[in-house]
Amino acid sequence: MEITRESIRRDLRNLGVVEGDVVLVRAGLKAVGVVDQANFLDALLDAVEPRGTVASLAFTRGGLAWQASKISPYTLDSVSYAGALPNMMIAHPHSHRSLHPQCSIVAIGKHAQQLTDGHGPHSRAYEPVRKLIALKAKMLLVGCVSSSPGFTTVHLAEADLGLHRRRIAPWLAISRYVDEHGVIHTFYRTDPGLCSKPFWKFYAAYVKSGHLTTGLVGKAYSICAPAAECYAIEREILANNKRFAVCDSADCVVCNALRWDRIHRWPAFLLGRLLRNRTH
Ligand SMILES: [Zn+2]
């Protein structure tokens, strides 16, 4: 069956996205099978209009501290590494984007300005997620359920529990940004996110609570759940087990070398790296 703007809108409706919703969307658009990717954003807006809001993560990379002069300063036009959807939204004439140099969000619709206002270089990275929770937003993953798993509410739960303090040397990765007077500043992040690869481990708890909706959007397996309930579930799990969201990969730098509560992994991690380099 042909995938059109209308068929995507119907698929989103079946997932539970309705008029007036506030939705934070992360999407792998190639998995949807859309010929014209703009159809996807239009269908999202169709699904929540009127009075709805579509938001996405428009994160941008920093660089290592000693490469500062080579890092392009963040501006509202900076390209996001988070895929085609946020970059389409950045280019949209009615979008708002926040000023956080690494974790900006972009939004279109009724609450777009409210979600992005006040989120800048001096804010905590995941505060827009708190606003999403207050707005009873839904979290939507389209086509990236396993390739880029999990909801961004987990990062807020980690930060609220102080787990970001377990990250070693967060200041190693910096960004630069331009202030309202045109002056370039260096941005040092104090609340880095931990590894997100194991966020799929929360999926079972969402299912058990009865809050997760699943379905296809185009050809892409997709999930949707309410932000407030997800945050409560994640926070409780992490409060009881602070290493729940550690991945099992022997190659993961964050989980094996950059967490204070995992420094016992250093010898095996370094030895593994050494042996791999020798065989390559
Ligand atoms: Zn990891």
Side-chain angles (χ1 to χ4, degrees):
M1 201 173 77
E2 194 187 356
I3 299 164
T4 63
R5 175 173 170 174
E6 175 54 23
S7 74
I8 295 170
R9 190 195 66 78
R10 270 200 312 274
D11 292 343
L12 291 166
R13 187 58 46 92
N14 290 336
L15 263 179
V17 179
V18 297
E19 283 177 24
D21 270 352
V22 181
V23 190
L24 181 75
V25 190
R26 295 197 303 111
L29 292 188
K30 285 190 183 123
V32 177
V34 184
V35 179
D36 179 359
Q37 293 188 333
N39 273 345
F40 182 80
L41 177 57
D42 289 336
L44 267 174
L45 294 170
D46 290 347
V48 300
E49 282 172 349
R51 296 189 301 281
T53 309
V54 173
S56 193
L57 308 180
F59 290 5
T60 39
R61 283 195 204 290
L64 294 168
W66 50 89
Q67 301 168 327
S69 61
K70 293 180 186 161
I71 300 170
S72 301
Y74 171 77
T75 69
L76 291 177
D77 297 321
S78 293
V79 173
S80 170
Y81 66 76
L85 176 65
N87 286 306
M88 270 192 293
M89 291 178 68
I90 290 166
H92 192 283
H94 298 129
S95 68
H96 293 255
R97 188 182 190 184
S98 66
L99 289 166
H100 194 284
Q102 289 183 2
C103 297
S104 68
I105 73 158
V106 60
I108 301 170
K110 182 181 175 186
H111 296 291
Q113 187 167 1
Q114 180 187 348
L115 282 171
T116 52
D117 266 3
H119 184 231
H122 306 296
S123 322
R124 292 172 69 187
Y126 300 107
E127 285 309 301
V129 178
R130 202 182 307 285
K131 293 184 182 176
L132 288 164
I133 290 170
L135 289 166
K136 300 187 178 358
K138 291 170 181 167
M139 312 297 282
L140 176 62
L141 296 190
V142 175
C144 57
V145 173
S146 62
S147 59
S148 176
F151 297 132
T152 313
T153 42
V154 180
H155 283 308
L156 180 66
E158 286 177 335
D160 287 348
L161 290 166
L163 299 185
H164 59 282
R165 288 196 281 273
R166 297 184 175 216
R167 176 73 182 265
I168 296 171
W171 35 264
L172 270 176
I174 64 161
S175 289
R176 298 199 302 160
Y177 66 96
V178 186
D179 71 11
E180 63 271 31
H181 306 295
V183 179
I184 296 174
H185 298 269
T186 302
F187 171 76
Y188 297 94
R189 182 125 171 236
T190 56
D191 60 347
L194 296 169
C195 177
S196 58
K197 284 186 282 243
F199 283 7
W200 57 267
K201 293 180 181 178
F202 293 95
Y203 289 166
Y206 307 144
V207 172
K208 195 175 171 190
S209 73
H211 289 298
L212 195 75
T213 313
T214 68
L216 292 179
V217 174
K219 295 177 181 172
Y221 180 65
S222 305
I223 61 175
C224 184
E229 284 77 359
C230 290
Y231 172 82
I233 289 167
E234 296 146 3
R235 186 171 172 143
E236 186 182 352
I237 290 173
L238 288 169
N240 288 319
N241 179 1
K242 295 184 172 54
R243 292 191 216 168
F244 181 82
V246 168
C247 80
D248 306 317
S249 167
D251 294 328
C252 178
V253 176
V254 173
C255 292
N256 291 289
L258 292 178
R259 285 182 64 131
W260 288 114
D261 56 353
R262 298 272 290 173
I263 54 175
H264 60 281
R265 300 280 308 172
W266 283 7
F269 179 68
L270 292 172
L271 189 64
R273 288 239 145 172
L274 202 66
L275 291 174
R276 270 193 299 280
N277 285 345
R278 280 188 147 198
T279 49
H280 286 164

